[in-house]
Amino acid sequence: MKTEKISELTTNRLSVYLRCLNELAATGVETISSQAMAEQFNLNSAQIRKDLAYFGEFGVRGVGYYVENLRQHILKILGLSTVNRVAIVGLGNLGMALANYHGFYQHSFDIVALFDADPAKIGTRVRSGVEIQSADNLKEVIKQKEINIVVITVPATAAEQVLADVTESGVRAVLNFAPVHLHPKPGVKVKTVDLSISLESLSYFLANPSADGVNVDYRDFLRYDPESNGAG
Amino acid sequence: MKTEKISELTTNRLSVYLRCLNELAATGVETISSQAMAEQFNLNSAQIRKDLAYFGEFGVRGVGYYVENLRQHILKILGLSTVNRVAIVGLGNLGMALANYHGFYQHSFDIVALFDADPAKIGTRVRSGVEIQSADNLKEVIKQKEINIVVITVPATAAEQVLADVTESGVRAVLNFAPVHLHPKPGVKVKTVDLSISLESLSYFLANPSADGVNVDYRDFLRYDPESNGAG
DNA sequence: AATTGTGAATTCCTTCACAGCC
DNA sequence: GGCTGTGAAGGAATTCACAATT
């Protein structure tokens, strides 16, 4: 085990390996080599071995990795062997979908509080039975229910304030769906899932048939032209 | 003539710059420097200038960038000055949320078809008025309606088949929410949004206080992340 | 004076290749 | 023989730093 700083790219891949191991375990496979796993994800086998080696020597030379053993190690590394207590702030379409979507969370994430500012929603319950509370109660309830992860699904303009409030209540991990760049305090981690960026990336790909490998030259038709007010 | 492959990180950042420029334009700001933009996103100003320089010389030395001019250029680069025709396959919680969520799409993405396998849903309409059709019609309708982007929000086990079907109908850009690694044909681009990975990343952070409080926020989108590749 | 555009330096990540072990 | 763990090499992305430009 090393004390080196571990890249988030590595921990993201651990999530992928974990999912693979879950499947293997479910189908009764007992060992897996880095090479075999790499093939499933078009990854390099050395990368998998290196990712794992940051956390220990989990493999057996000449054999590979014991599926269940490695699975347990990764669960522990990712903090998934204890339950995270999650709140969702903003029960619009997306927030509601996440509140009702059990598939994602498996057994490590428990949605224990829901907040919205709309009086029409307050007091109603989602399918799991959790009641939507007024966002006025945000700070106290977050503390009281010992929430450690907050999902922000409010409009962009409200997101920064929600972040400030939950930070004040001691939350250090936030999953943000608002399409805005947030400014967390030191020690607070924000992951933003930005669907606009994903869609626009696809749009770029379609607009640029050579974008996936061949070179492009845009300069001829995109050069700055002070005469046109931008329309190019 | 400068020919160079453009990284997806660069185009993702263009999306962010675009959003910034939209706000600036709305508030009547006429010029912006790379330095000023960089401060908003904790990015390096040289990176912004380099990103833009791939596509042309849009700036004016001593002045900065003309907001509306640059905005128009980026819209064109990202293919957002023409409308993309989008279909959503799988109208569960998430698919329904996306179908009803107009906020994301602005004016460049038009949701023109919805598909589900559940007979109870077929024939019903979402708020925008678009009717949910049987997934049996997927291939013909995709062709007929000239869909160019497909959003996959079906269960993980069904996703690969949906990808195969829409690929057969000529779709080359897919936004996938199913938590599974898909295998697109060459020339087809898949972007996967994996909420499990995001949540587990937060869990790791909480479980490892030594994973110092570095703020990542947009890191997945804006910094090096070979995982989020897609096309073949 | 201010700011862009860009080669050079740096940092970070991946892949190679092989020693070491089962 | 097969496979892991890892130092070294290679590659990619970011940041520096400054000449060029308005």
Side-chain angles (χ1 to χ4, degrees):
Chain A
M1 181 106 162
K2 316 184 173 173
T3 50
E4 198 174 330
K5 184 174 180 219
I6 283 141
S7 153
E8 181 151 4
L9 298 169
T10 291
T11 62
N12 286 348
R13 282 190 296 263
L14 290 186
S15 286
V16 173
Y17 307 153
L18 176 60
R19 197 143 64 208
C20 178
L21 292 167
N22 285 340
E23 283 172 24
L24 291 169
T27 57
V29 176
E30 296 203 340
T31 66
I32 182 91
S33 69
S34 60
Q35 182 55 46
M37 244 198 290
E39 277 158 17
Q40 295 202 29
F41 304 114
N42 335 331
L43 288 177
N44 181 287
S45 66
Q47 178 159 73
I48 296 180
R49 295 197 297 278
K50 260 207 164 135
D51 285 341
L52 298 174
Y54 285 121
F55 300 95
E57 301 206 358
F58 303 137
V60 181
R61 288 158 204 245
V63 177
Y65 299 87
Y66 287 100
V67 169
E68 186 54 28
N69 176 265
L70 182 56
R71 192 172 152 269
Q72 293 301 331
H73 276 299
I74 296 182
L75 281 172
K76 203 153 205 171
I77 293 164
L78 292 178
L80 301 173
S81 41
T82 61
V83 174
N84 287 288
R85 297 170 64 78
V86 179
I88 298 176
V89 184
L91 277 292
N93 290 307
L94 186 56
M96 209 62 102
L98 296 175
N100 284 317
Y101 200 164
H102 290 278
F104 290 133
Y105 312 119
Q106 299 183 350
H107 304 297
S108 308
F109 300 95
D110 211 359
I111 301 180
V112 296
L114 304 169
F115 300 94
D116 202 287
D118 178 358
K121 286 177 185 157
I122 294 166
T124 65
R125 290 173 189 276
V126 299
R127 282 214 292 274
S128 66
V130 179
E131 186 177 334
I132 300 176
Q133 301 183 57
S134 165
D136 295 341
N137 305 334
L138 190 61
K139 290 192 209 170
E140 307 96 85
V141 177
I142 295 261
K143 272 187 201 151
Q144 177 204 316
K145 294 213 173 177
E146 299 181 321
I147 307 291
N148 53 4
I149 296 180
V150 168
V151 177
I152 296 183
T153 41
V154 301
T157 49
E160 189 85 55
Q161 183 61 52
V162 171
L163 174 62
D165 289 348
V166 303
T167 299
E168 206 181 307
S169 298
V171 169
R172 298 195 306 118
V174 169
L175 182 58
N176 171 47
F177 286 87
V180 65
H181 180 83
L182 298 178
H183 301 85
K185 293 220 166 77
V188 177
K189 170 151 166 161
V190 173
K191 283 215 76 150
T192 293
V193 174
D194 193 317
L195 302 181
S196 303
I197 291 176
S198 301
L199 274 174
E200 289 174 12
S201 168
L202 292 173
S203 176
Y204 172 80
F205 173 78
L206 291 174
N208 299 274
S210 47
D212 190 47
V214 191
N215 303 321
V216 188
D217 185 325
Y218 284 87
R219 290 172 185 247
D220 284 350
F221 61 100
L222 291 179
R223 192 181 297 275
Y224 175 55
D225 175 6
E227 304 293 328
S228 84
N229 191 22
Chain B
M1 178 131 157
K2 171 172 177 174
T3 61
E4 197 169 334
K5 180 165 184 211
I6 285 142
S7 153
E8 181 154 358
L9 297 170
T10 292
T11 63
N12 285 349
R13 282 189 295 262
L14 290 185
S15 287
V16 173
Y17 306 154
L18 176 60
R19 197 143 63 207
C20 179
L21 293 166
N22 285 340
E23 282 173 27
L24 290 169
T27 57
V29 176
E30 296 202 339
T31 66
I32 182 91
S33 70
S34 59
Q35 183 56 44
M37 243 198 290
E39 278 159 16
Q40 294 200 30
F41 304 114
N42 332 335
L43 287 177
N44 181 291
S45 67
Q47 178 159 71
I48 295 181
R49 295 197 298 276
K50 259 206 166 132
D51 285 340
L52 297 173
Y54 285 123
F55 300 96
E57 300 204 357
F58 303 138
V60 181
R61 288 161 203 244
V63 176
Y65 299 87
Y66 287 100
V67 168
E68 185 55 27
N69 174 267
L70 183 56
R71 191 172 152 268
Q72 294 299 332
H73 277 300
I74 295 181
L75 280 171
K76 205 154 204 171
I77 293 164
L78 292 178
L80 300 174
S81 42
T82 61
V83 174
N84 287 288
R85 297 171 64 76
V86 179
I88 298 176
V89 185
L91 277 292
N93 290 308
L94 186 55
M96 207 65 101
L98 296 175
N100 284 318
Y101 200 164
H102 290 278
F104 293 134
Y105 312 119
Q106 299 184 352
H107 305 297
S108 307
F109 300 94
D110 213 359
I111 299 181
V112 297
L114 304 170
F115 301 94
D116 201 287
D118 178 358
K121 286 177 186 158
I122 295 166
T124 64
R125 290 172 189 278
V126 299
R127 283 215 291 275
S128 66
V130 178
E131 187 178 335
I132 299 176
Q133 302 184 56
S134 166
D136 295 342
N137 304 336
L138 189 62
K139 290 192 210 169
E140 307 96 85
V141 178
I142 294 262
K143 272 187 200 149
Q144 175 204 317
K145 294 212 171 175
E146 299 181 321
I147 306 291
N148 53 4
I149 297 179
V150 168
V151 177
I152 297 183
T153 40
V154 301
T157 50
E160 190 85 55
Q161 184 60 51
V162 172
L163 173 62
D165 288 348
V166 304
T167 299
E168 206 182 308
S169 298
V171 169
R172 300 194 306 115
V174 169
L175 182 57
N176 171 48
F177 286 86
V180 65
H181 180 84
L182 297 178
H183 301 84
K185 293 219 168 78
V188 177
K189 171 149 170 156
V190 173
K191 283 215 78 149
T192 293
V193 174
D194 192 318
L195 302 181
S196 303
I197 291 176
S198 301
L199 273 175
E200 289 173 12
S201 167
L202 292 173
S203 177
Y204 172 80
F205 172 79
L206 292 174
N208 298 273
S210 56
D212 58 56
V214 167
N215 157 39
V216 286
D217 197 358
Y218 271 85
R219 187 180 206 283
D220 286 356
F221 289 122
L222 306 188
R223 300 183 48 108
Y224 188 37
D225 180 9
E227 269 300 284
S228 74
N229 70 343

